[in-house]
Amino acid sequence: MEKQSVSRRQFIGTSVLAAAGLALASKTSFANSILAQAKPNSKYNGVQIGVITYSFRSMPGSAEQILQYILQCGINDIELMGEAAEAYAGAPKRDGSADFAAKLADWRANVSMDKFVELRKMYNDAGVNIYAWKPNALGAKNTDAEIEYAFKAAKALGCTHVTVELPDAAQTQRLGDLATKHKTYVGYHAHLQATFTLWDTALSQSKYNGINLDIGHYTAGTSTSPVEFILKNHDRILSMHLKDRKFHDGPNMPWGQGDTPIKEVLTLMKTNKYKFPATIEFEYNIPAGSDAIKEVIICRDYAKAALS
């Protein structure tokens, strides 16, 4: 049989097509495996329990991998952090160059929302809702175009709000004004600086400025229960982080071993029919022989028992 010669161009073309076929098959296989799984449900007696991407920080963090973790945890709501979503949408990778911030800002200002919509569909098809997005694009050094991109991407992902660390009053005014323009809420997160009145200025600046309350940080920072704060501000709380910490800037603890009244707060949410989600933020040290997924499931079960 006569041996046929294959030109370099034919070989490259065939290889590219084969690679594309493998990529498509892999993506189709992933989508089919997601659709085949039972839909998760972590809403207990009217209280929605979610999880934040940060809980899985010890594990690889692509958007597809994060979705698998959530499904393994039996959770149907997530606060998605920015890196995974932006990587899925094709953001430039950090390269250490002096002009990287400018390149990223240019990408954000011009990127199509199609990949964010696609990401939302992938999660929704699996039974997972993305209720909040925490992009790294809402700082004082970010351009208005980047901030507006963050609101547009949040909408494309299906979010009701974005979250960000609480900045100074000038920046909360700036964010509040742009949030009003896009009719997308901003949930401001605080750590140990939390006080009973910390959010008052931001809340007064715009009805689209809200609270992303972390009851563990609030407990550690004020050495008091967050219940009174929640009662006063429940209508401005957009989402709430659950973790257990000790008073007086104490450490993160396995749930039930710290001073944070997690059960009392969840019971308050159930009794008063608060609609904002309660987000598991797994932050204590992983015990020997365990992993982040196992510990998030323990946290989920703790919350479920508190709400039963």
Side-chain angles (χ1 to χ4, degrees):
M1 184 173 180
E2 184 180 353
K3 184 178 179 181
Q4 293 183 336
S5 62
V6 179
S7 71
R8 182 172 181 271
R9 178 173 294 180
Q10 287 173 319
F11 175 78
I12 292 173
T14 302
S15 300
V16 169
L17 287 172
L22 284 172
L24 180 60
S26 176
K27 202 162 191 176
T28 302
S29 175
F30 176 78
N32 288 339
S33 70
I34 290 293
L35 290 172
Q37 297 183 45
K39 299 293 190 290
N41 182 12
S42 54
K43 190 171 188 176
Y44 309 120
N45 282 318
V47 178
Q48 180 64 65
I49 300 298
V51 67
I52 186 171
T53 305
Y54 182 72
S55 296
F56 307 112
R57 64 196 175 280
S58 61
M59 307 173 75
S62 73
E64 294 91 341
Q65 289 165 327
I66 291 166
L67 177 55
Q68 285 288 1
Y69 305 154
I70 305 164
L71 294 175
Q72 290 177 60
C73 291
I75 292 174
N76 69 300
D77 241 17
I78 185 166
E79 177 183 339
L80 189 65
M81 296 180 75
E83 293 85 352
E86 289 195 314
Y88 187 89
K93 295 181 180 179
R94 296 190 178 278
D95 56 12
S97 63
D99 65 342
F100 175 76
K103 287 193 293 188
L104 183 59
D106 181 67
W107 178 84
R108 287 169 168 167
N110 294 288
V111 66
S112 163
M113 292 294 110
D114 289 352
K115 293 294 287 185
F116 291 99
V117 172
E118 180 181 292
L119 179 57
R120 171 188 182 176
K121 185 178 186 304
M122 179 173 69
Y123 274 58
N124 289 176
D125 286 349
V128 176
N129 173 55
I130 306 171
Y131 59 86
W133 187 43
K134 188 169 189 175
N136 185 24
L138 300 173
K141 293 183 179 179
N142 292 110
T143 65
D144 282 1
E146 286 182 281
I147 294 170
E148 295 200 57
Y149 145 83
F151 291 134
K152 292 174 185 176
K155 281 186 177 180
L157 290 168
C159 306
T160 61
H161 62 288
V162 296
T163 58
V164 64
E165 306 300 315
L166 182 68
D168 62 26
Q171 186 65 3
T172 55
Q173 182 68 69
R174 181 186 179 209
L175 292 176
D177 290 344
L178 290 169
T180 300
K181 175 182 175 181
H182 288 273
K183 294 182 170 51
T184 299
Y185 291 89
V186 184
Y188 295 103
H189 184 80
H191 291 259
L192 295 177
Q193 82 273 33
T195 66
F196 197 77
T197 59
L198 180 69
W199 285 266
D200 287 358
T201 296
L203 297 181
S204 70
Q205 292 170 331
S206 169
K207 72 176 185 178
Y208 285 96
N209 280 344
I211 302 167
N212 172 239
L213 178 66
D214 188 308
I215 62 172
H217 289 326
Y218 189 95
T219 297
T222 65
S223 296
T224 61
S225 167
V227 167
E228 289 301 317
F229 180 90
I230 295 168
L231 286 168
K232 177 196 172 199
N233 297 289
H234 64 89
D235 59 338
R236 302 298 296 274
I237 296 174
L238 303 173
S239 53
M240 186 172 72
H241 287 185
L242 302 175
K243 65 165 66 79
D244 202 351
R245 289 190 65 176
K246 290 281 193 179
F247 286 154
H248 309 299
D249 190 14
N252 288 288
M253 302 293 294
W255 288 20
Q257 297 181 30
D259 294 315
T260 309
I262 298 175
K263 289 183 178 179
E264 186 179 355
V265 168
L266 290 173
T267 299
L268 178 69
M269 291 181 66
K270 179 178 73 171
T271 301
N272 290 354
K273 303 185 187 307
Y274 295 151
K275 297 304 181 186
F276 53 82
T279 310
I280 295 168
E281 184 173 10
F282 164 60
E283 201 162 15
Y284 59 85
N285 292 331
I286 298 175
S290 189
D291 59 35
I293 291 173
K294 291 176 183 176
E295 295 306 310
V296 169
I297 291 172
I298 290 171
C299 294
R300 182 208 67 194
D301 288 346
Y302 185 99
K304 182 178 181 180
L307 292 163
S308 63

